Amino acid sequence: MHILVTGASGFVGSRLVEVLTVKDGVQVTGAIRRQPAGGNKAVTQINVGELSPETNWSEALSGVDEVVHTAARVHVMNDVESDPLAVFRKVNVEGTLNLARQAVAAGVTRFIFISSIKVNGEGTVSGRPYTADDVPSPADPYGVSKMEAEAGLRDIAASTGLEVVVIRPVLVYGPGVKANFLNVMRLLDKGIPLPFGAIYNKRSLVALDNLVDLVITATVHPSAANQIFLVSDGEDLSTTQLLRRIAEALNKKALLLPVPSALLSFGAALLGKKSLSQRLVGSLQVDIEKTRSLLSWVPPISVEQGLKLAASHYIKRDK
């Protein structure tokens, strides 16, 4: 089987390529935006440039049986674009559907789309986790673009017979994680006191290796065709619990001050950081029962193992 992985130099794509290359009977082509300094010598890398409605995928799609599409314009906390939705649509919707149409023309049989839990929404209430079959309710341009890309892929599948698999991850962490997760590791590593010792929310996360394992399962499982799957580690944590677990993985003690979550939310609103407050104080849980039952899938590593892998990488390379 020949698989094309887009975004092959990214956080998810690079790990997926690394795991796929050691599997028997699998040939991997990695699509990248620019030529990296190094790279996996066992993988054919093709520079396709920026993901757009005009991208020419002909070389990358040659001989390919399946596509795993991880490339995207990702969520931006403080977007400076005058019309963020238009920019997200150009890349995440039009760029994705352009790839899918060319994939059909090239004879690709299955298209695995890495979407986002933001298609479901921004948060859940206690006892009501998101499911794969919920009516979408995206609240920002990024989530809207992913929802529209999913809808466009379903239309292409219906008219061509292309098998489309949609995977909506929650927050992904692991070796090489960046952004807020890396910043938190740095703060905990330095022993800086944080005002997050009394947060009793529940949030789902997914270790990078768990997400990659599900993607690989979706490349071969017959029941994955034309389905939507949510993915997590199967254990939900409060922000307070997560910070303590990260500190343990770093062999540090978390200094967490018991500031009430309502006070944190109020302060964040005053500072114009409401979305960040939602991530720290609000809940976002997912139900992965459909993923478990339909694909007979179980997360291969635990939260502790996932955090240890992330922490070890940080200590060796990012510290």
Side-chain angles (χ1 to χ4, degrees):
M1 180 168 60
H2 188 173
I3 299 176
L4 169 66
V5 177
T6 71
S9 59
F11 178 51
V12 175
S14 59
R15 179 56 177 160
L16 175 61
V17 166
E18 184 181 3
V19 176
L20 282 172
T21 53
V22 299
K23 291 197 168 290
D24 292 336
V26 176
Q27 179 183 351
V28 183
T29 294
I32 56 177
R33 289 188 301 169
R34 58 184 66 90
Q35 197 65 38
N40 191 328
K41 302 302 182 183
V43 178
T44 300
Q45 292 187 331
I46 297 177
N47 186 342
V48 296
E50 298 293 331
L51 177 62
S52 78
E54 293 78 36
T55 305
N56 185 339
W57 293 93
S58 57
E59 182 182 3
L61 287 167
S62 179
V64 166
D65 301 300
E66 299 190 7
V67 171
V68 180
H69 187 38
T70 76
R73 183 176 193 262
V74 298
H75 177 253
V76 181
M77 285 295 290
N78 297 301
D79 206 324
V80 297
E81 295 287 346
S82 59
D83 188 352
L85 181 55
V87 180
F88 276 116
R89 278 177 169 154
K90 182 176 181 181
V91 177
N92 295 348
V93 183
E94 297 170 35
T96 295
L97 300 186
N98 170 52
L99 168 59
R101 294 187 189 101
Q102 291 187 45
V104 170
V108 168
T109 57
R110 182 170 286 193
F111 191 102
I112 299 168
F113 180 55
I114 307 303
S115 186
S116 169
I117 196 58
K118 282 180 168 288
V119 172
N120 285 72
E122 291 294 323
T124 57
V125 297
S126 179
R128 294 181 59 186
Y130 287 136
T131 73
D133 299 320
D134 286 341
V135 176
S137 184
D140 67 6
Y142 173 71
V144 170
S145 72
K146 286 292 192 176
M147 177 188 70
E148 292 179 352
E150 290 183 15
L153 288 171
R154 284 194 293 272
D155 289 343
I156 291 173
S159 62
T160 66
L162 177 69
E163 295 178 349
V164 170
V165 185
V166 172
I167 297 176
R168 295 179 189 160
V170 289
L171 174 66
V172 186
Y173 67 95
V177 66
K178 303 296 183 184
N180 289 335
F181 204 99
L182 176 58
N183 291 334
V184 165
M185 284 198 289
R186 286 173 173 157
L187 292 172
L188 291 169
D189 182 46
K190 293 176 180 177
I192 296 175
L194 300 173
F196 307 126
I199 301 177
Y200 305 105
N201 58 348
K202 288 291 182 181
R203 297 192 73 88
S204 302
L205 305 94
V206 63
L208 178 59
D209 280 356
N210 285 340
L211 174 57
V212 165
D213 187 78
L214 177 62
V215 171
I216 293 173
T217 299
T219 66
V220 296
H221 202 296
S223 297
N226 303 313
Q227 296 289 340
I228 298 171
F229 298 103
L230 306 188
V231 57
S232 77
D233 293 332
E235 179 185 359
D236 300 338
L237 302 174
S238 70
T239 298
T240 300
Q241 290 172 323
L242 175 61
L243 294 176
R244 286 175 177 156
R245 297 273 195 100
I246 295 173
E248 288 174 6
L250 292 167
N251 295 315
K252 300 285 183 175
K253 181 176 178 60
L255 301 177
L256 304 179
L257 307 177
V259 178
S261 58
L263 185 57
L264 289 172
S265 296
F266 178 72
L270 288 178
L271 295 172
K273 301 289 186 180
K274 188 174 180 180
S275 60
L276 178 59
S277 171
Q278 166 61 25
R279 293 179 177 215
L280 291 170
V281 176
S283 293
L284 195 159
Q285 295 177 270
V286 298
D287 182 344
I288 62 170
E289 181 54 35
K290 176 183 177 181
T291 309
R292 291 179 183 272
S293 60
L294 202 58
L295 302 181
S296 300
W297 182 80
V298 175
I301 68 171
S302 65
V303 173
E304 284 80 6
Q305 290 170 314
L307 292 176
K308 196 65 179 178
L309 289 170
S312 296
H313 185 280
Y314 164 78
I315 292 168
K316 292 176 182 176
R317 301 187 187 183
D318 295 324
K319 191 170 180 178

